[in-house]
Amino acid sequence: MVKYQFQIDDDTWAAWKETVPRSKSLETRIIELIEADTDGRVVDDVDADSK
């Protein structure tokens, strides 16, 4: 098992946390996002990065 710690600004964290249903843990949601990225279900918006 891998444990990872990261930093994110408080406003971004609070805004994201509000999008996660209360019935789901934040850890579960982060795992789902990692799995979606691994499966290729997350699309990078290349145009947004260049603006």
Side-chain angles (χ1 to χ4, degrees):
M1 177 167 294
V2 174
K3 292 185 179 190
Y4 189 83
Q5 186 174 6
F6 64 97
Q7 290 181 300
I8 189 167
D9 68 85
D10 291 339
D11 292 338
T12 301
W13 179 258
W16 172 76
K17 190 169 68 171
E18 291 302 314
T19 69
V20 179
R22 301 248 187 254
S23 60
K24 184 179 292 189
S25 74
L26 298 179
E27 179 183 7
T28 297
R29 183 61 183 140
I30 291 170
I31 291 168
E32 290 173 348
L33 293 170
I34 291 170
E35 290 172 346
D37 193 25
T38 302
D39 292 345
R41 293 180 277 137
V42 176
V43 179
D44 289 333
D45 188 357
V46 177
D47 292 333
D49 290 341
S50 63
K51 292 181 182 177

